[in-house]
Amino acid sequence: MGFFAACLILYVLGGSRVMGDIPVWQAVLPVVVLCTASAFRSTLPTAAVSVGTVTVLVEMTSSGGLGPVLVYTDLLYAAALYGAPWLCRVLQFGTVAVTVATTITLIALSDRSEGVTTGVIVAMLLISPVWTGILIRNHKERADAERERAAQINRLAELDRKTVLQTERTRMARELHDLVANHLSAIAIHSSAVLSLTEARRAENGDTGAAGAAGSAGAAGATGAAGTAGPSTTATAAPTAPAEDDPVLRALAVIRENSVQGLAEMRRMVVLLRSDRGVDDDWDRPQLNALGALVEQARPAADAAALTLHTEFPESFPEVSSVIEVTAYRIVQEALTNVLKHASSGRVRIRCEAGAEQLTISVDSPLAPPDAPSDGRTRQRPVAPLTNGAGAGLTGMSERAALVGGIFDAGPDRTAPGRWRVRAVLPLTQNT
């Protein structure tokens, strides 16, 4: 359209003097045809260059001029760039043949210098746009090939990465199953065996005492009936305390319950590691609504350690991403584990505040033993760690918070001397 408007402007300014007696329609019609064909030069390059070639030939035979040759050169360039490979070869050899034939014909029929000059002009009008289009086409094809090769390399690298990742996950699952799970199974089996053996012995002692008492009572009755003088003696069994009052049995029950739960969690983790699920799957993930149940599971162990757990949770948690839920749940879980292992007797406060943009979690526990516990319970000082993993829990909580863009802090509470505080602030607007 721009070239058509330019041609009309040139005709108005002085085209009539240049064209002489050529009718207006004869001058405008080739321009209209070539401009129309130019509109389809990228979608229908073969048809566009064919129409352009016929139009130029008709223009040359009818008026003896080249007409709007600049539009035709654009059609040649587009055909070489967007056309089929066979069309590029036809244009490449055809333009060279036409240029050579035109040059030889003009040299034979007219002056040599005029023929050579005309041949150079024809070459610039025909060969130059075609070869330029072919050059750019080859460059684009090489670029496309390089991009495809890079994409293929990326796909292969991604497959290798997934293979290595799956292999590592399988190895981790195997190690967890063969080592950690077996140890948890052994703990559960032995604690269950001790509890069963203790219950059996308590039942046996109770039955024996009852039998002895019955036998003594029968002997005394028989003696009285025979009229034998002397005081009657009755053997009674020593009373045995119920299992609920035995701290050793309560501790064994807690050990068995936690080992069974840990074994179930370990099995679920092994299944997850061996599956091809992504890290963002919601399969069996912890939820914020389960924090209350998590605290209740820890109460028996806390009571045994002279710890009183107090929770401050909202009535309902907001809808947050699965990553935030898992992070918050694991931080509270690890903080409770550290409290049960290291805190002194006293009150433990677990709080969770959900705002519009962030979720705040804090766990406060006594750092030093109080002088006089209100409930009269005392707790022995924690024993020294038996492993080299001291501090790994705090590191893990800090890393979890950092992965979601949150803030984590753990240490003595400056506002409440003698207490240890674990605090995490997690953004609720985190993109997953």
Side-chain angles (χ1 to χ4, degrees):
M1 294 301 294
F3 185 81
F4 180 70
C7 290
L8 291 180
I9 292 173
L10 291 176
Y11 178 76
V12 171
L13 294 178
S16 59
R17 295 191 300 270
V18 175
M19 292 183 296
D21 297 334
I22 299 177
V24 177
W25 67 269
Q26 189 176 353
V28 175
L29 183 59
V31 177
V32 173
V33 174
L34 289 176
C35 289
T36 304
S38 180
F40 303 95
R41 64 191 184 99
S42 59
T43 57
L44 300 172
T46 304
V49 75
S50 300
V51 172
T53 302
V54 172
T55 303
V56 170
L57 290 176
V58 172
E59 177 71 11
M60 290 177 61
T61 56
S62 61
S63 62
L66 293 177
V69 69
L70 293 179
V71 181
Y72 182 63
T73 57
D74 184 65
L75 292 177
L76 291 175
Y77 168 79
L81 181 61
Y82 302 111
W86 66 267
L87 181 60
C88 295
R89 292 191 294 269
V90 170
L91 293 176
Q92 186 177 8
F93 293 105
T95 53
V96 172
V98 170
T99 302
V100 172
T102 303
T103 303
I104 294 175
T105 302
L106 292 177
I107 291 175
L109 298 177
S110 62
D111 185 62
R112 177 179 297 180
S113 60
E114 182 180 355
V116 173
T117 303
T118 305
V120 172
I121 295 174
V122 173
M124 293 178 61
L125 295 176
L126 299 181
I127 298 177
S128 179
V130 171
W131 284 26
T132 302
I134 292 176
L135 181 64
I136 296 177
R137 181 193 183 100
N138 294 335
H139 178 73
K140 290 182 62 177
E141 289 178 352
R142 286 196 299 269
D144 293 339
E146 290 296 330
R147 281 193 293 269
E148 180 63 26
R149 181 172 176 269
Q152 185 177 4
I153 291 175
N154 290 335
R155 288 193 294 268
L156 292 176
E158 182 66 17
L159 290 176
D160 292 341
R161 186 190 68 83
K162 289 183 178 179
T163 302
V164 172
L165 180 61
Q166 188 61 35
T167 302
E168 183 65 19
R169 291 175 62 175
T170 303
R171 187 187 66 83
M172 292 174 60
R174 184 171 58 252
E175 295 295 331
L176 288 175
H177 180 271
D178 295 343
L179 298 179
V180 182
N182 286 341
H183 288 301
L184 289 176
S185 299
I187 294 174
I189 292 173
H190 282 80
S191 59
S192 299
V194 172
L195 286 174
S196 300
L197 182 61
T198 304
E199 292 295 334
R201 288 182 176 178
R202 292 170 63 88
E204 181 181 355
N205 291 335
D207 294 341
T208 303
S216 299
T223 305
T228 306
S232 63
T233 59
T234 303
T236 59
T240 58
E244 294 79 5
D245 297 336
D246 192 341
V248 176
L249 295 182
R250 289 204 308 270
L252 285 174
V254 171
I255 291 174
R256 181 181 60 180
E257 180 181 0
N258 283 273
S259 61
V260 171
Q261 292 178 357
L263 187 60
E265 292 287 343
M266 188 66 63
R267 286 173 179 155
R268 284 193 288 267
M269 187 180 300
V270 169
V271 172
L272 181 61
L273 286 173
R274 285 179 174 172
S275 66
D276 55 353
R277 297 174 181 266
V279 295
D280 294 334
D281 285 339
D282 291 343
W283 180 77
D284 200 31
R285 63 176 174 86
Q287 298 179 353
L288 290 177
N289 295 328
L291 289 178
L294 177 65
V295 175
E296 293 301 322
Q297 291 177 1
R299 286 194 185 278
D303 293 338
L307 294 171
T308 304
L309 302 181
H310 291 268
T311 59
E312 297 180 12
F313 294 155
E315 295 182 358
S316 61
F317 289 93
E319 293 291 335
V320 299
S321 63
S322 59
V323 177
I324 297 298
E325 280 197 309
V326 172
T327 302
Y329 186 92
R330 295 307 182 192
I331 288 177
V332 174
Q333 186 180 40
E334 182 63 28
L336 279 177
T337 301
N338 289 342
V339 166
L340 296 177
K341 289 169 58 178
H342 305 295
S344 299
S345 59
R347 178 177 179 179
V348 179
R349 185 170 56 182
I350 303 104
R351 293 186 300 174
C352 184
E353 299 177 1
E357 298 182 354
Q358 63 185 19
L359 181 69
T360 304
I361 299 170
S362 64
V363 179
D364 300 331
S365 58
L367 181 61
D371 296 335
S374 58
D375 54 3
R377 298 183 301 172
T378 59
R379 180 184 182 180
Q380 296 180 354
R381 298 297 298 168
V383 296
L386 300 178
T387 64
N388 295 327
L394 296 178
T395 302
M397 289 188 286
S398 178
E399 290 176 350
R400 285 184 179 273
L403 286 175
V404 298
I407 301 173
F408 177 80
D409 180 38
D413 193 351
R414 298 180 180 178
T415 61
R419 295 188 65 82
W420 180 275
R421 187 186 70 168
V422 173
R423 182 173 181 269
V425 180
L426 309 178
L428 297 182
T429 57
Q430 192 258 353
N431 296 324
T432 57

